[in-house]
Amino acid sequence: MKLAGRPELTERLCAEYALGTLRGRARARFTRRLREDAALARAAAGWEQRLAPLLEAVAPVAPPPRLWRRIEERLAERRAPAPGLWRYLAFWRGLGLAASGATAVLLATVVLLWPQRAPEPAVAQLPASEVPAVYLAVLTDPATRRPALVVSAGRSAAQLAVKTLDPAIHVAGRSLELWALPAQGAPRSLGLVAPGEKAVLALAAAADRALEDVPALAVSLEPPGGSPTGAPTGPVLASGPCVKYW
Amino acid sequence: MSGAPEPLAALLAATARGEQAAFARLYRLTAPKLFAVALRMLRREDWAEEVLQECYMRIWDHARDYREGLSAPMTWMASIVRNRCLDWLRRPAVEVADAEGEVAAATAAPGPGPAEGLDRVQAARRINECLQALEAKQRQAIVLAFYEGRSHSELAAHLREPLGTVKTWVRRGLLRLRACLEGAGA
């Protein structure tokens, strides 16, 4: 349904959306459009606000105490390490990977935390405005939101540098496996992260190809030697957006 | 809508930063109203609880999407709850009990609520005046749709009128309501 140039239809849809009589597939379509069309979202919110005083007539009813307890339990689950990778994927897909403000902070953090890097000119020697052409990812612990690993690769280099910020992420007797999480398709293993402050992983191709279309990285805890299946099997210990910087 | 200080907006902002204590306060202040809204639409306490649980998790996850300039905090949260209720009512298995059930009676009883700002009371009075100015059938259709989440076809069945007639009542009723609220008279 075309809404452009049809103010009366737009107004009616917004009103019936707010009232609740816009239903079924029409409502689902309209809801999707609200996400893409700011003017439409404003008009619909205007109608919701217009009808909101009707809510004053609804006398409050205290929900049973168990309701808040259940919500608290679910919040606690969110904070605890989860068993599988996919939950985390859903978790930070929900957050949105394109948090540009966060990315700027990540870059600043990397520049500060990593004053010298082997394959590229040292960051510390560069003017603040010039960071070499690299892929960068800061992987954070979803539970504490503290950075655990920094991963970087020069765009033409066929290797990844991994710096461990939180040594506790390495677990004796288990392997830490790094995964590329492509925009589409299943996670691809990038190899095992050896314990220690710094590790280097060989890439199958130059970073420009290996990390092209990889918006995020994650590390999972795996049996010694890595995942037996080729897909992540253990809990995700850290994850974060992977950005191109040049 | 309100020029008064709005603590709910501050609590939503703190919730967006992941502050669970603020979220707990937000829940205490808003859950009784939102629970009542869900009860009115779903007419079953267990469903209302389930919907509210999902909605507060959604509020926790999406508090950062709240835009103060777009709608009042309570409107934004009520919209999440009403939308989820409407989804719920879409499920084919849902057989909604009659509106005049005991839950409806319970919700009609006055309950303790947070002190309401004068402007909110005035807004409620104003929309009531405007509702009263509508034709009775338009008013009935709009009120049933809003509070009970009735669709056009459910309204038609309930009011024993053809679907097209009911759609027209709703459409015209909403237009007249807006005109009245904007002070152009009804």
Side-chain angles (χ1 to χ4, degrees), chain B residues 21-63:
Chain B
F23 182 55
R25 286 239 309 286
L26 183 71
Y27 175 88
R28 278 201 300 278
L29 289 173
T30 56
K33 176 67 94 177
L34 295 179
F35 188 58
V37 167
L39 267 177
R40 281 284 285 270
M41 291 179 80
L42 303 175
R43 287 170 227 136
R44 266 184 57 173
E45 207 159 319
D46 53 341
W47 290 350
E49 276 181 48
E50 197 165 322
V51 160
L52 229 62
Q53 185 185 327
E54 283 176 30
C55 288
Y56 274 98
M57 290 312 291
R58 204 176 158 76
I59 290 166
W60 171 257
D61 287 336
H62 292 271

Side-chain angles (χ1 to χ4, degrees), chain A residues 18-19 47-59, chain B residues 1 33 37 40 82 120 123-131 139 142-147 174 177 181:
Chain A
L19 181 66
W47 264 103
E48 285 179 333
Q49 197 58 50
R50 197 169 282 140
L51 296 180
L54 289 174
L55 295 170
E56 298 296 330
V58 180
Chain B
M1 168 178 93
K33 176 67 94 177
V37 167
R40 281 284 285 270
R82 297 188 73 248
R120 283 170 57 197
R125 191 174 300 148
R126 180 90 186 106
I127 201 164
N128 262 318
E129 287 166 6
C130 287
L131 275 177
R139 176 171 61 244
I142 285 176
V143 162
L144 284 172
F146 186 82
Y147 290 113
L174 285 167
L177 194 60
L181 288 169

Side-chain angles (χ1 to χ4, degrees), chain A residues 88-163:
Chain A
Y88 279 120
L89 287 186
F91 169 70
W92 29 266
R93 283 210 176 116
L95 287 182
L97 292 169
S100 52
T103 307
V105 173
L106 294 186
L107 289 170
T109 311
V110 168
V111 172
L112 291 174
L113 290 176
W114 204 332
Q116 24 180 322
R117 299 171 50 262
E120 300 273 340
V123 172
Q125 294 168 2
L126 293 166
S129 61
E130 288 179 42
V131 172
V134 289
Y135 286 86
L136 286 175
V138 175
L139 276 54
T140 53
D141 179 336
T144 63
R145 297 184 181 179
R146 293 233 299 269
L149 295 173
V150 182
V151 178
S152 74
R155 61 182 293 186
S156 55
Q159 58 184 25
L160 284 175
V162 181
K163 180 180 166 83

